[in-house]
DNA sequence: ACCTGAACACCGTTCAAGT
DNA sequence: ACCTGAACACCGTTCAAGT
């Protein structure tokens, strides 16, 4: 499959010809199933997203759901860091990605988060995740070939060590705090309903 | 120059051969000045970043500095939205980008923000900016060719309208609020010093 | 010093042709 | 229905050769 090949050589190097060769077939045969090489890329990305933990946990609080799902997404990208999935330009309009977005959205909707809060929270988390993953996978990529000076200035240190699990959670906590501040005076005790049956 | 050509055809379509033709020269001549096509891309990105407003304003408060510089970066990317600069993979290690990072970092350092606060704030803002710009420029790109259904479900609406000036500022405000919460009980009255001369 | 031409090893995609 | 071969119009990059 395209994702396995991407793990080996990077998604940007998955060409019609190489993928076809891997499948023991000619490149042109792939056009029966995918319209272009970009379509194969977003299909591989959507497949990777099926590995993300988005199942509902009865009684789970909304902020714990955010911590769990965002961590799972980050881990998925790290697991496939050699595949450079962050370089895939997904419009979000393709069916595989839509399914994932819808699943997470429903999770929070069912928790009873008011729609305007959810909208704003969604947007900032989406942007933060995208940026963090972009930066972190790039850094994982280039870390080894950096000069790694001991006498680095503070600003350089900050820019270079910008990505780690701790940093990721710091950001998520800041955002959760910001959402609480935004929702005031709502006590924010939204949570996944207990299993009704 | 490469940036002008990128504005016309998109940076990902700026090839050695096309750029050389534009300059009335052969593609191979460019290798005297740039080692590869990727080098030309980050040079174009660095050039675009010189358009960003990062000058110090005596007396300006730290949060206003954040609002000003982040807005300016976003506007720069929007001004060059046809160039798809967000697709450029910059390691941050190239001289042009380093200069920009250093300038903004010093701005906040001179305001007296404590180093640990600045580090955390920098990281989350960097990630948020990266993700927002990635999402917004992609959306600007694909907006016209989306189905644009009137009967869209809420989740789809949220994902689609995720990027606008208002949304951008909402996110920045949430982050600023989060930084204040993180710094407590510090009153956070950091600001650019008055001109000493 | 600076530029060129030809070449190499690739791409994505189309399309008529095969079974 | 599904796959192939050949072709087209591109790439980035190398390198010996020109002035």
């Amino acid at each position: 499959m395209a994702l396995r090949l991407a793990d080996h050589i990077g998604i940007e190097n998955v060409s019609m010809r190489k993928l076809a060769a891997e499948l023991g077939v000619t490149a042109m045969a792939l056009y029966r199933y995918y319209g272009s090489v970009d379509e194969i890329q977003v299909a591989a990305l959507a497949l990777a997203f099926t590995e993300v933990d988005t199942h509902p946990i009865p009684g789970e609080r909304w902020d714990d759901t955010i911590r769990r799902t965002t961590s799972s997404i980050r881990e998925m990208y790290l697991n496939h860091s050699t595949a450079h999935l962050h370089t895939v330009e997904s419009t979000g309009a393709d069916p595989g990605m839509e399914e994932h977005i819808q699943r997470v959205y429903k999770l929070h909707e069912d928790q009873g988060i008011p729609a305007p809060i959810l909208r704003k929270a969604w947007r900032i988390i989406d942007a933060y995740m995208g940026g963090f993953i972009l930066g972190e996978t790039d850094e994982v990529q280039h870390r080894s070939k950096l000069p790694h000076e001991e006498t680095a200035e503070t600003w350089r240190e900050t820019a270079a060590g910008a990505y780690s699990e701790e940093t990721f959670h710091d950001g998520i906590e800041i955002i959760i705090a910001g959402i609480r501040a935004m929702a005031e005076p709502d006590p924010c005790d939204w949570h996944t309903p207990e299993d009704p049956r």
Side-chain angles (χ1 to χ4, degrees), chain A residues 102-115:
Chain A
Q102 191 168 6
R103 211 156 40 226
V104 178
Y105 200 89
K106 290 260 183 225
L107 222 55
H108 290 297
E109 219 171 25
D110 292 347
Q111 291 176 328
I113 303 183

Side-chain angles (χ1 to χ4, degrees), chain A residues 11 15-16 20 63 70 85 103-104 110 122 126 158 160 178 190 196:
Chain A
I11 192 84
S15 66
M16 287 299 212
D63 50 334
T70 53
L85 294 181
R103 211 156 40 226
V104 178
D110 292 347
W122 184 276
D126 192 49
T158 298
W190 313 302

